[in-house]
Amino acid sequence: MTPRIRPAQTFDAAFAAPLIQEAIGRVGQHLTGTTTDGDAAHVIAEFFVTRGNRLSFIHTLIAEGEEGRPVGLAVLYPGEFAQALDGPFREHRRSLGLDPAIPTEAEAGELYLDTLATVTAARGRGVGRALIEACAERARALVLPLTLLVEDGNPAARLYARSGFVAVGRQNLAGHTYTRLARRPDV
């Protein structure tokens, strides 16, 4: 399958929000101040259609498969904007009476791949790889390394290794250990 990659639009929220939550799990529940994936996906959908937050349609690419149906997505943004992009989630958590602290995942000087996800039926069919290449092209244009965090034991780590990512550090996030991976812009 050779998917078509396009910028997300607000109408993609119903597709994107549950898929984002499926991919980010505990992090999504923390951002949204919820305790279930369904509730988190609902809040993510509300944030997806607005600008100025990390999970906005503005920062999302959609992969379309046969008949133009969405089959995957990538959420990415320059690391120097991470604090500002988490501001709306901090405010949301504060409005719920929760601690507004959100650990920063991205760092300045990188294009951060926050979320990469495909629908189950499209896995192993080149969709993730096509999304990574589209993200890498953006990183090349900005002359920034493309980075991400992968949780220990995540099978997607194999895809990242095949796509030119190398381990550059470790990070604790939401009580779990992640490996920071980077792909230089010239790869």
Side-chain angles (χ1 to χ4, degrees), residues 9-10 34 43 47 52 54 73 90 103 105-106 109 114 134 144 147 171-172 174:
Q9 302 295 318
T10 56
T34 59
V43 174
F47 277 93
R54 73 154 84 176
L73 59 79
R90 284 191 297 275
E105 297 174 34
D114 183 287
L144 293 172
T147 66
Q171 186 169 345
N172 232 344

Side-chain angles (χ1 to χ4, degrees), residues 120-165:
T120 304
R123 292 183 186 146
R125 300 183 65 203
V127 175
R129 177 76 174 188
L131 283 162
I132 288 172
E133 291 308 315
C135 294
E137 183 57 38
R138 284 193 176 188
R140 276 189 289 279
L142 296 169
V143 193
L144 293 172
L146 180 62
T147 66
L148 59 91
L149 293 177
V150 63
E151 189 171 10
D152 290 355
N154 184 334
R158 292 187 306 274
L159 170 63
Y160 301 138
R162 288 191 310 267
S163 299
F165 286 89

Side-chain angles (χ1 to χ4, degrees), residues 58-142:
I58 294 295
H59 307 293
T60 305
L61 297 174
I62 299 289
E64 292 181 337
E66 299 165 9
E67 299 174 15
R69 291 195 179 121
V71 293
L73 59 79
V75 179
L76 68 162
Y77 48 86
E80 61 264 17
F81 301 132
Q83 282 292 327
L85 292 173
D86 281 343
F89 285 105
R90 284 191 297 275
E91 287 305 313
H92 174 74
R93 289 182 55 79
R94 192 175 284 117
S95 76
L96 297 174
L98 300 171
D99 179 354
I102 295 174
T104 301
E105 297 174 34
E107 298 175 358
E110 66 184 24
L111 185 61
Y112 183 68
L113 179 52
D114 183 287
T115 307
L116 178 74
T118 61
V119 297
T120 304
R123 292 183 186 146
R125 300 183 65 203
V127 175
R129 177 76 174 188
L131 283 162
I132 288 172
E133 291 308 315
C135 294
E137 183 57 38
R138 284 193 176 188
R140 276 189 289 279
L142 296 169

